[in-house]
Amino acid sequence: MGLLETIGEPSDLNALSPDQLTELAQEIRDFLVANVSRTGGHLGPNLGVVELTLGIHRVFNSPQDSIVFDTGHQSYVHKLVTGRQNFETLRQKGGIAGYPERAESDHDIVESSHASSSLSWADGISRAYQLTGQRDRYTVAVIGDGALTGGMAWEAVNNIAADKNRKVVIVVNDNGRSYAPTIGGFANHLAALQHELQNKVDKVRLDSRYERTLAAARTKLQNGGSVGQMIYRGLHGMKAGIKDVMVPGGIFEDLGMKYVGPIDGHDLEAVETALESAKNFGGPVIVHAITEKGHGYAPAVSDKDDMFHAVGVIDPDTGEALAKSSGKSWTSVFAQEIKDIADEREDIVGVTGAMLIPVGLKPMAAAHPGRVIDVGIAEQHAIAMSAGLAYGGQHPVIALYATFLNRGFDQLLMDVALHKAGVTIVLDRSGITGPDGASHHGMWDLALLQFIPGLHLAAPRDAVTLREELREAVAIEDASTVVRYPKGSVGADIPALERLADGTDVLARHGDPNPESGQRDVLLIGVGAFARLALDTADLLAERGVSVTVIDPRWVMPVPASVVTLAGEHRIVVSMEDGVRAGGVGSRIRQEMRAAGIDTALNELGLPAEFIKHAERGEILEEVGLTPQKISADILAQLAGNMVPFARTEGEKPKHTS
């Protein structure tokens, strides 16, 4: 039996000797490589926080003390020492989540995997403990240096620092990277901190006697008349000067927080010493730990792009991917096209939030390094800054994961849309993303964007339409535009039978119109990647003798007039979108139909307004009923008048009220 198997809860770590802890750390790394290589997941970040996590759990008492992980992709080690070692189904349906999850353990607190929020949680938790008299409880936030590029983190630091009595310990896991290398002025500051001498002075500075002695000397000198005050000013200036040289934590201490570090985050003794000192101080403390992403696993350390931030199924010995992707990804199609557009237009500027490679801006950055801006994990700033770029004559293209658009909504509404700025936002990984779970599904954007005045929203169905809709988007200079597409392989091109005058594509027609009413039975509207779902559904209906038209609006905002016209030419309309159906594209089409006086029934299909757990995309779509078999069966029932919404009866002509 290995040591890891003896750890069922954090308190079991306290009985281990230093040598055993070193052995345990290696066992954990071996375990992670062996297991994550089979399932895929966030390998590099977790290899980098082994000693840091062990130290936190030895010094603090979870769940009595609250431990919050920013983003949470570095919580695998935390899961292992809190009784969750069944990694065989990590990130799979029914298995343990890739992020903290309250349903799994009382040790997990924050489930959201959006960065830079942990310090706000720590502020709130520690305030609650203070208000309820629970002064023996500590709050520990583990935040990567990349997450400190987000402004929200500094808003929280500002508030935490204002109260000297709250027991908050902020552990900065500084590996020089978020997904890729951390950028910006703060990152430069951390990189410049000197390791030497720091540990020698931290114990003294965090000893309460040090603070009492300073306070007593300060009072005595300031009350000692002009001579005493002059001596105090001289000593205070000398102290500040020495401190700037020996204790380079000024950016934190200027805010009123104690700073410890930098410490070697892979030296368990150093980690525990720093955390014990921070704990004993009794007020807010920053502990700055230098770690290496992928530590102890050569393939990860040598991967300069992302140090195995997230991997699929790999060979554990070599790190080579075993499951090869079949075909081009949506991201790669965008990457090539935006680079080509930037070659043609000097005003195109790429903008990313610490995700240069994942969102596909690396080729453009290589070709035009001065025209791709990485703002760090700061979506609000990215969007507002882009409004300024547009004002200055540029056309910014902001590439984000769809789930992170939520964070910049106010800026999109008030800084971009209100000012009719020519800004394009490209949303990667829209819809169901799969194993990363609720906070990574990009399922909110279609509903979120519906009411933004003047916004144009495109949902390409294949590589061809992605290229052409991206070009159409950047050609619009007096309004905001959004282009969104899913995760994974783009699939085969889906040619149109016909393109209507306003850009709507007719993808299929089955059967003839009713000779009495002139109508077909069903109009299927496939939004973006759901065009394939609409075509497959149409095939099943055609086999049952149902006459069907399948269309792709291409631009779902504003709703093309042809979509409304076609709705009046069918007995029932069914819209399909890979976003929440509440307030989504289907709802907007319904409103436009009613405004035009068209009474055709419309069934809006999409995702439920729920937080959907991790599973494969296909498993989730089947679970929510978005399969050709389920949809076609329901449509047949609606045509027969056995299920709402009821289709218009066969031969009945539509009523137009306008």
Side-chain angles (χ1 to χ4, degrees):
M1 175 181 284
L3 286 170
L4 180 57
E5 296 171 77
T6 69
I7 307 300
E9 57 185 37
S11 60
D12 293 334
L13 296 171
N14 297 332
L16 300 183
S17 67
D19 287 343
Q20 287 176 312
L21 287 167
T22 300
E23 182 181 343
L24 175 62
Q26 186 58 51
E27 279 190 28
I28 289 173
R29 286 195 167 89
D30 293 342
F31 178 96
L32 290 173
V33 171
N35 282 273
V36 178
S37 65
R38 287 196 292 266
T39 63
H42 289 97
L43 183 55
N46 287 284
L47 293 173
V49 296
V50 176
E51 291 82 6
L52 208 55
T53 307
L54 294 177
I56 289 169
H57 276 296
R58 276 170 57 85
V59 172
F60 296 95
N61 179 27
S62 177
Q64 168 69 14
D65 297 327
S66 296
I67 302 173
V68 175
F69 291 90
D70 201 287
T71 307
H73 58 229
Q74 77 286 50
S75 63
Y76 292 6
V77 185
H78 165 78
K79 287 176 184 274
L80 289 176
V81 300
T82 54
R84 289 166 283 175
Q85 298 175 12
N86 54 329
F87 270 48
E88 293 82 3
T89 54
L90 173 70
R91 300 167 74 245
Q92 297 174 14
K93 186 176 182 179
I96 65 172
Y99 296 94
E101 188 163 302
R102 289 181 178 180
E104 288 181 5
S105 174
D106 290 340
H107 296 278
D108 288 4
I109 296 173
V110 180
E111 297 186 8
S112 172
S113 55
H114 289 192
S116 308
S117 65
S118 64
L119 303 190
S120 295
W121 275 89
D123 186 26
I125 292 169
S126 61
R127 285 180 190 272
Y129 290 162
Q130 187 180 60
L131 290 168
T132 54
Q134 301 179 74
R135 300 186 181 277
D136 59 335
R137 302 184 72 176
Y138 290 83
T139 306
V140 181
V142 182
I143 183 168
D145 63 305
L148 283 174
T149 61
M152 184 177 174
W154 291 96
E155 294 172 25
V157 166
N158 183 52
N159 280 270
I160 292 169
D163 189 337
K164 309 303 181 191
N165 298 314
R166 277 192 281 139
K167 297 179 176 179
V168 180
V169 177
I170 299 171
V171 180
V172 177
N173 171 35
D174 180 6
N175 58 24
R177 308 177 74 89
S178 44
Y179 178 96
T182 309
I183 58 85
F186 177 70
N188 296 340
H189 172 80
L190 289 185
L193 295 182
Q194 298 298 315
H195 202 107
E196 297 299 324
L197 300 177
Q198 188 61 57
N199 294 332
K200 297 178 182 178
V201 297
D202 281 333
K203 282 187 180 180
V204 175
R205 293 172 57 250
L206 285 168
D207 192 313
S208 58
R209 291 171 296 176
Y210 167 76
E211 291 297 312
R212 289 199 299 271
T213 301
L214 282 182
R218 183 183 304 118
T219 300
K220 188 169 184 178
L221 288 171
Q222 287 179 325
N223 292 337
S226 59
V227 175
Q229 291 173 8
M230 181 180 67
I231 294 172
Y232 170 74
R233 285 193 298 272
L235 289 175
H236 181 73
M238 184 175 70
K239 170 181 176 271
I242 293 173
K243 182 171 144 184
D244 286 342
V245 175
M246 295 183 60
V247 187
I251 196 169
F252 300 109
E253 295 204 333
D254 286 348
L255 290 169
M257 294 186 71
K258 284 297 179 185
Y259 168 87
V260 182
I263 61 167
D264 181 352
H266 300 300
D267 182 336
L268 191 54
E269 182 180 359
V271 169
E272 289 192 32
T273 299
L275 292 174
E276 286 283 5
S277 297
K279 181 178 181 179
N280 293 335
F281 180 67
V285 181
I286 296 264
V287 177
H288 180 190
I290 305 295
T291 63
E292 180 183 48
K293 200 171 184 177
H295 187 74
Y297 184 44
V301 173
S302 62
D303 178 23
K304 298 308 178 187
D305 277 345
D306 71 355
M307 301 183 104
F308 282 27
H309 178 85
V311 298
V313 178
I314 61 172
D315 182 327
D317 295 324
T318 66
E320 294 292 326
L322 295 179
K324 300 293 185 183
S325 174
S326 56
K328 292 181 180 179
S329 69
W330 289 92
T331 307
S332 67
V333 174
F334 163 73
Q336 184 60 51
E337 193 65 19
I338 193 60
K339 186 264 181 189
D340 291 346
I341 294 171
D343 290 345
E344 301 163 16
R345 287 181 48 178
E346 293 184 356
D347 63 328
I348 297 294
V349 177
V351 180
T352 178
M355 303 289 276
L356 181 73
I357 297 171
V359 298
L361 283 176
K362 187 177 181 182
M364 179 182 168
H368 307 284
R371 288 164 50 198
V372 174
I373 304 165
D374 187 342
V375 300
I377 302 175
E379 293 84 1
Q380 291 173 298
H381 168 63
I383 295 174
M385 181 267 292
S386 293
L389 281 169
Y391 178 76
Q394 304 299 293
H395 190 110
V397 178
I398 311 167
L400 304 171
Y401 281 9
T403 183
F404 299 137
L405 174 66
N406 312 356
R407 299 161 69 97
F409 176 79
D410 179 68
Q411 288 69 29
L412 177 56
L413 181 66
M414 291 297 172
D415 294 294
V416 174
L418 176 64
H419 294 88
K420 297 180 174 60
V423 173
T424 297
I425 300 178
V426 175
L427 300 179
D428 199 328
R429 290 156 172 80
S430 64
I432 292 295
T433 55
D436 284 329
S439 59
H440 264 54
H441 293 314
M443 55 189 277
W444 316 104
D445 59 301
L446 289 174
L448 198 65
L449 297 171
Q450 286 301 321
F451 59 84
I452 295 183
L455 184 139
H456 299 256
L457 172 58
R461 66 179 181 269
D462 57 17
V464 171
T465 52
L466 170 52
R467 294 186 189 103
E468 64 184 14
E469 287 165 36
L470 179 61
R471 286 183 176 270
E472 291 168 11
V474 298
I476 296 173
E477 298 293 354
D478 59 353
S480 50
T481 54
V482 176
V483 180
R484 51 103 68 183
Y485 47 80
K487 179 181 179 181
S489 298
V490 69
D493 291 338
I494 302 173
L497 294 179
E498 178 186 0
R499 176 159 295 176
L500 303 180
D502 60 1
T504 295
D505 280 347
V506 179
L507 305 183
R509 292 189 182 96
H510 296 286
D512 298 320
N514 183 283
E516 296 179 26
S517 66
Q519 294 190 307
R520 280 190 167 85
D521 294 322
V522 183
L523 175 65
L524 298 181
I525 304 172
V527 174
F530 268 18
R532 174 56 60 192
L533 175 64
L535 287 168
D536 292 344
T537 302
D539 289 342
L540 293 179
L541 291 171
E543 290 173 4
R544 300 293 297 272
V546 176
S547 57
V548 186
T549 305
V550 181
I551 63 171
D552 169 16
R554 296 177 65 255
W555 288 88
V556 297
M557 278 185 63
V559 176
S562 60
V563 173
V564 177
T565 300
L566 285 166
E569 299 172 1
H570 292 75
R571 293 173 58 197
I572 189 170
V573 179
V574 179
S575 64
M576 306 177 186
E577 59 191 291
D578 57 345
V580 288
R581 59 178 174 263
V585 174
S587 295
R588 185 63 177 265
I589 293 173
R590 178 194 295 275
Q591 293 168 14
E592 297 297 328
M593 288 169 56
R594 298 302 172 258
I598 293 174
D599 69 341
T600 309
L602 186 148
N603 190 20
E604 305 149 35
L605 299 181
L607 301 170
E610 300 171 0
F611 293 112
I612 299 174
K613 291 189 176 295
H614 58 279
E616 291 300 322
R617 176 181 167 87
E619 292 175 328
I620 292 171
L621 294 180
E622 183 174 4
E623 189 171 302
V624 300
L626 291 174
T627 64
Q629 294 76 19
K630 176 66 168 65
I631 295 170
S632 60
D634 287 348
I635 291 173
L636 289 171
Q638 290 157 355
L639 291 170
N642 297 325
M643 181 177 178
V644 294
F646 301 128
R648 187 178 295 115
T649 58
E650 195 168 2
E652 179 187 357
K653 293 185 178 181
K655 300 180 181 66
H656 295 279
T657 60
S658 64

